[in-house]
Amino acid sequence: MTEPRARAARHKGQLNFENELRALLFAFGDVLQPLPETLRVLDELVTDFIIETCHAAASAASYSNRQKVKTDDFMFAIRKNPIMLGRVQELLGMDKVLREARKGFEVPEGTKGLEKSGVLGRGEGRGRRGGGNSGAGGAKRGPKVKGQKGGKDKEKGKVEEGEEGDDRLEWEDEDGDE
């Protein structure tokens, strides 16, 4: 490991991870209120580990002629600890899966939450899934449902089960047509 760096004086006496360490100690069988000295020592160890890892990642980035530190730099810094490296790879993979899943739920900017408050009508401001004023009589419609043809189906409350178990609900027209 590299040489230890001096802790900044501004963090002297201040615990950065007090609540997290208290919960961790309790989870591993310690009392609900551990000794303050125990918390201080563990906090110093965790803080020093984070600082050293960040310095090693910054060093890897500068070796690659970059000023910004990337996740690959952190993975390079912890490459000698296979357990930690595996956990980081698992978390990065899960982050990618969650990011991809969120793409299906995107709402255009400025409209989030306005449908529920009544400011926007059903289907209004929903981007590519629903249309604003469409259909006969200018009735506002909700998003199209799998199996719905051109927005002309008028069955209300129909729930369809997709191939992968995703439920989709068809909304009724605002003017009460079925």
Side-chain angles (χ1 to χ4, degrees), residues 108-126:
E109 285 187 35
T111 61
K112 184 179 267 188
L114 295 178
E115 294 88 0
K116 293 180 183 176
S117 66
V119 175
L120 292 178
R122 289 185 181 151
E124 191 173 331
R126 289 194 179 257

Side-chain angles (χ1 to χ4, degrees), residues 28-164:
F28 279 98
D30 200 1
V31 294
L32 190 57
Q33 295 295 326
L35 294 173
E37 186 64 21
T38 305
L39 288 175
R40 189 190 64 73
V41 169
L42 282 175
D43 187 79
E44 187 174 332
L45 287 171
V46 170
T47 304
D48 287 345
F49 172 77
I50 291 172
I51 289 171
E52 290 298 320
T53 306
C54 289
H55 282 293
S59 172
S62 67
Y63 183 75
S64 300
N65 293 326
R66 282 185 278 112
Q67 290 182 345
K68 292 186 178 182
V69 179
K70 295 183 178 182
T71 55
D72 291 337
D73 299 324
F74 281 99
M75 291 172 60
F76 183 80
I78 61 171
R79 70 190 182 280
K80 293 180 181 175
N81 187 339
I83 295 172
M84 196 181 316
L85 183 62
R87 179 68 176 152
V88 167
Q89 289 172 340
E90 179 184 350
L91 290 173
L92 288 174
M94 186 58 65
D95 182 54
K96 185 177 180 180
V97 167
L98 290 174
R99 229 179 307 128
E100 292 294 322
R102 275 190 218 112
K103 284 185 181 178
F105 295 105
E106 285 183 359
V107 177
E109 285 187 35
T111 61
K112 184 179 267 188
L114 295 178
E115 294 88 0
K116 293 180 183 176
S117 66
V119 175
L120 292 178
R122 289 185 181 151
E124 191 173 331
R126 289 194 179 257
R128 66 176 193 261
R129 295 192 107 204
N133 292 335
S134 64
K140 297 174 186 167
R141 294 186 161 275
K144 290 184 181 178
V145 180
K146 184 178 179 182
Q148 189 176 13
K149 296 197 172 107
K152 301 292 181 186
D153 285 348
K154 293 186 177 180
E155 296 176 22
K156 90 176 189 187
K158 180 180 175 186
V159 177
E160 290 186 359
E161 183 94 5
E163 295 172 356
E164 297 178 10

